[in-house]
Amino acid sequence: MRSGFVALAGRPNAGKSTLINSLIGEKVAIVSSKPQTTRSEIRGIYTDENCQIIFTDTPGIHKPKFRLESRMNKEAADVIQGVDLIYLVVDASTPYAKGDEFVLNMVKNTGLPVFLVLNKMDKMQPEKIVKVIQQWQERYDFAEYFPLSAKFGRSFEDLIKTTSKYLPEGDLLYPAEMTSDGAENFRIAELIREKILIQTEDEVPHAAAVLIENKEFKKDKVYIQAMILVERDSQKGIMIGKQGQMLKKIGSLAREDIEKLLGKKVFLELFVRVENEWRSRDARITEYGYGGASRDE
């Protein structure tokens, strides 16, 4: 039996969250097309008869504009240092840029084995794939290379089998049936934030945070009250929408996913409050569970 930790590192929108969900076989990390969807370390736990792999989805590493983003970068760097193996996840369909170089240098300096996971192969022609692999081989001597499509890949058996060979021998680190160690309230808040990211545009989704204020279990039902925080009155108006339609849509979509998570019927109430410049205030970032605080209950 082998067990250990694997960090998924890369730029925003490389497909790390989609990959971790595909590897685990269920939704443990939220996904959207917008950069910086992941704000905190998310763990997905894969277990079979031969191994247990704890995959850690880290925030996409990028040039920060707010204190929140600086903390996200630091958390990603800290997580990478404390694992057995790193997947460098790259959007192979986009040109190599300074952001890729920055992340590559970060993983190089760990001294750990690094798998190059060339994602989004479904967007590329075969001859282009060969060229991209050759270019990356010239940049670093990766332990393994895996071209794949996290979104459309049907089997990751080879990736799992090869990964387990790089992990130390040891017992299970988590119960075999466990698929994530994230705090329940944080996972619920993230499902709501995912719908905000998908449904709203411009700066609104990036300025939004979600805080679970109340959760009550009554027989086969769960009553949840959640506060959506934004930074300006104009963002609050957009979040609520005309006659409250946007807020209702976000709530309806989020409720479906929360019911799957909890296995119970959910009654969800959403409220919106303005919290000026929360992304630049450490206390608020921690309170909302981002930048290293995602395991706080």
Side-chain angles (χ1 to χ4, degrees):
M1 183 75 180
R2 293 180 179 272
S3 58
F5 292 82
V6 177
L8 281 67
R11 295 172 61 192
N13 266 28
K16 299 183 300 298
S17 297
T18 301
L19 178 58
I20 202 169
N21 288 340
S22 297
L23 289 165
I24 303 305
E26 68 175 68
K27 190 176 209 168
V28 296
I30 66 170
V31 176
S32 86
S33 61
K34 295 182 173 67
Q36 301 165 43
T37 296
T38 302
R39 285 177 171 170
S40 279
E41 173 190 7
I42 305 292
R43 287 180 181 171
I45 304 164
Y46 172 90
T47 307
D48 64 22
E49 64 274 13
N50 300 311
C51 67
Q52 183 174 80
I53 308 172
I54 298 89
F55 293 104
T56 299
D57 183 17
T58 61
I61 300 164
H62 59 286
K63 186 176 181 179
K65 296 180 181 178
F66 300 92
R67 175 62 178 157
L68 168 64
E69 294 165 358
S70 296
R71 284 184 54 171
M72 287 161 56
N73 281 351
K74 183 180 184 303
E75 183 184 17
D78 290 346
V79 168
I80 289 169
Q81 293 290 340
V83 297
D84 300 293
L85 171 67
I86 298 171
Y87 289 177
L88 176 57
V89 184
V90 174
D91 179 352
S93 68
T94 61
Y96 184 79
K98 285 186 177 180
D100 294 296
E101 184 178 7
F102 181 81
V103 181
L104 177 57
N105 287 333
M106 181 182 289
V107 300
K108 278 182 182 179
N109 292 333
T110 64
L112 295 167
V114 181
F115 286 13
L116 179 66
V117 179
L118 291 163
N119 192 22
K120 306 191 182 182
M121 291 288 107
D122 52 290
K123 295 184 176 181
M124 302 177 65
Q125 297 298 320
E127 61 274 12
K128 179 67 173 176
I129 294 172
V130 174
K131 186 176 180 181
V132 169
I133 292 174
Q134 290 174 341
Q135 290 171 340
W136 277 96
Q137 285 175 329
E138 293 170 1
R139 294 176 185 126
Y140 186 61
D141 184 20
F142 293 94
E144 306 283 349
Y145 297 82
F146 281 91
L148 52 78
S149 170
K151 186 175 182 180
F152 297 107
R154 295 183 179 180
S155 173
F156 299 96
E157 184 179 346
D158 288 344
L159 179 57
I160 293 290
K161 189 178 294 185
T162 306
T163 297
S164 68
K165 293 177 182 178
Y166 284 79
L167 301 181
E169 292 186 0
D171 298 327
L172 293 179
L173 301 171
Y174 291 90
E177 69 278 4
M178 199 168 178
T179 57
S180 177
D181 70 347
E184 187 174 85
N185 279 5
F186 179 77
R187 295 185 70 184
I188 293 170
E190 284 289 88
L191 290 172
I192 297 168
R193 190 169 68 85
E194 179 186 57
K195 307 314 175 191
I196 294 169
L197 284 161
I198 293 169
Q199 297 298 322
T200 60
E201 298 295 336
D202 301 321
E203 181 63 14
V204 176
H206 299 296
V210 179
L211 185 64
I212 304 302
E213 296 202 314
N214 186 47
K215 182 178 64 180
E216 292 183 43
F217 289 86
K218 295 183 178 180
K219 293 185 179 180
D220 58 343
K221 301 179 180 65
V222 188
Y223 296 83
I224 299 171
Q225 292 177 317
M227 182 66 69
I228 299 172
L229 291 304
V230 292
E231 292 187 320
R232 296 195 297 272
D233 287 329
S234 59
Q235 295 167 351
K236 179 178 179 179
I238 294 169
M239 191 70 68
I240 294 173
K242 188 176 181 180
Q243 296 181 331
Q245 289 304 306
M246 177 59 78
L247 198 62
K248 288 179 183 177
K249 188 171 186 179
I250 290 168
S252 177
L253 293 171
R255 180 177 50 77
E256 293 177 11
D257 277 356
I258 297 169
E259 287 181 340
K260 291 177 185 176
L261 173 65
L262 301 180
K264 297 178 183 292
K265 186 172 181 60
V266 169
F267 292 87
L268 177 64
E269 281 189 281
L270 298 179
F271 306 91
V272 185
R273 187 178 81 216
V274 175
E275 188 72 53
N276 291 323
E277 298 183 352
W278 71 264
R279 284 179 291 176
S280 298
R281 299 161 64 188
D282 272 315
R284 288 290 180 260
I285 294 168
T286 299
E287 180 184 356
Y288 304 151
Y290 307 131
S294 63
R295 277 175 178 71
D296 296 339
E297 284 284 2

